[in-house]
Amino acid sequence: MQRQIIIGFAALACVCAQVSQPPHYKENYPDTYHFAKNIRHPRDLTWDRKAGGGKVFGTLGHTDDSLFGKAGYKKDIFNDARGTLKGEAYGSRVLGATGDNSYLGGKLDWNNVNKNAQATFELTKQIGGRTNAEATASKVWNFDKNTRLSAGGVVSQDIGHGKPDVGLGAKFEHNW
């Protein structure tokens, strides 16, 4: 008897359910299938709040085959004659049909006062995987109003595994 009552209520709930559509959808698209996926409203939730002299940020959402969440904290450590130093800590979690993934990281970004030199250090960890460290730096030297030299480099390594990857580049420019 209880099973029949539960099935009856479930059938009644299904009959009474309504499918929502955006306003003016029927007028704009009269020949489109009314229950298509493209009429669904985005359901991602994003926030950005000030906390402790910095910002807490995050996003919760989904794609057709996964759920994800991202969150972190950013803060300006200093902004004075030494330049600007910003710090950030973040993490993400993805649940999907092909597997799950968790990712943590932290980053420091420095720019000098006139923005012609910058450096970044980032440390990341995939849970169940390796930890990676990456450092980048670049500088621009202006010799006169038409001549400049820019150079930069990157060093990246999975900590404790193999040799680091190193990249260097430079460019000399003169406008005639």
Side-chain angles (χ1 to χ4, degrees):
M1 182 69 180
Q2 289 177 342
R3 183 180 285 167
Q4 293 171 346
I5 292 172
I6 292 172
I7 292 173
F9 278 117
L12 181 64
C14 290
V15 169
C16 294
Q18 295 180 356
V19 175
S20 66
Q21 294 178 345
H24 311 295
Y25 180 79
K26 289 181 183 179
E27 294 84 11
N28 293 338
Y29 306 101
D31 299 328
T32 304
Y33 181 61
H34 297 291
F35 303 112
K37 280 187 177 183
N38 62 358
I39 65 168
R40 289 179 36 194
H41 299 287
R43 296 187 181 131
D44 293 353
L45 171 67
T46 301
W47 70 93
D48 192 0
R49 304 262 190 263
K50 292 185 178 186
K55 282 187 180 180
V56 175
F57 60 92
T59 301
L60 295 172
H62 68 88
T63 60
D64 287 340
D65 59 350
S66 66
L67 299 171
F68 63 88
K70 302 175 192 174
Y73 180 75
K74 340 179 174 179
K75 183 174 182 171
D76 288 346
I77 299 169
F78 62 77
N79 187 358
D80 55 17
R82 299 172 288 180
T84 303
L85 181 65
K86 297 179 180 183
E88 182 177 340
Y90 51 88
S92 68
R93 175 80 172 144
V94 178
L95 303 172
T98 59
D100 302 341
N101 186 3
S102 295
Y103 188 75
L104 300 171
K107 183 176 180 180
L108 290 172
D109 284 323
W110 174 80
N111 288 310
N112 73 342
V113 176
N114 55 5
K115 304 275 189 204
N116 66 359
Q118 46 187 290
T120 301
F121 177 73
E122 187 168 14
L123 192 62
T124 58
K125 167 79 173 158
Q126 183 173 354
I127 303 301
R130 296 182 174 158
T131 301
N132 182 276
E134 181 173 296
T136 62
S138 64
K139 172 82 171 128
V140 176
W141 293 272
N142 291 314
F143 297 116
D144 60 28
K145 67 179 186 175
N146 293 327
T147 308
R148 71 190 137 280
L149 173 67
S150 58
V154 62
V155 176
S156 177
Q157 180 176 14
D158 288 337
I159 295 177
H161 298 282
K163 294 182 179 181
D165 294 329
V166 177
L168 298 171
K171 181 166 73 169
F172 181 79
E173 291 180 280
H174 179 77
N175 298 332
W176 299 98

